[in-house]
Amino acid sequence: MPDQSTRTVLERFPAGGPRGSWPADEYAAQQQAQGQPARVVMDLRSDSFLVIADAPAA
């Protein structure tokens, strides 16, 4: 797994969104369609979903 310093947070979404709404997943899918390797992770401390991109290690 990559070191945390190589991750970039692209966007944050509150975890308490409307039922059936997945804005973080939709945003990540849009980024992936544009060639950005994005994925969704949960930040328990802030109770939010983060869309992140892993940068290659230098």
Side-chain angles (χ1 to χ4, degrees), residues 30-48:
Q30 290 172 354
Q31 296 302 306
Q32 291 170 354
Q34 295 174 7
Q36 174 77 343
R39 60 190 174 102
V40 179
V41 297
M42 179 72 184
D43 180 13
L44 295 175
R45 245 181 281 145
S46 67
D47 192 31
S48 60

Side-chain angles (χ1 to χ4, degrees), residues 8-53:
T8 301
V9 176
L10 302 175
E11 194 65 57
R12 294 177 180 269
F13 295 90
R19 186 178 195 102
S21 175
W22 302 98
D25 291 312
E26 292 165 4
Y27 183 81
Q30 290 172 354
Q31 296 302 306
Q32 291 170 354
Q34 295 174 7
Q36 174 77 343
R39 60 190 174 102
V40 179
V41 297
M42 179 72 184
D43 180 13
L44 295 175
R45 245 181 281 145
S46 67
D47 192 31
S48 60
F49 292 106
L50 308 178
V51 179
I52 64 169

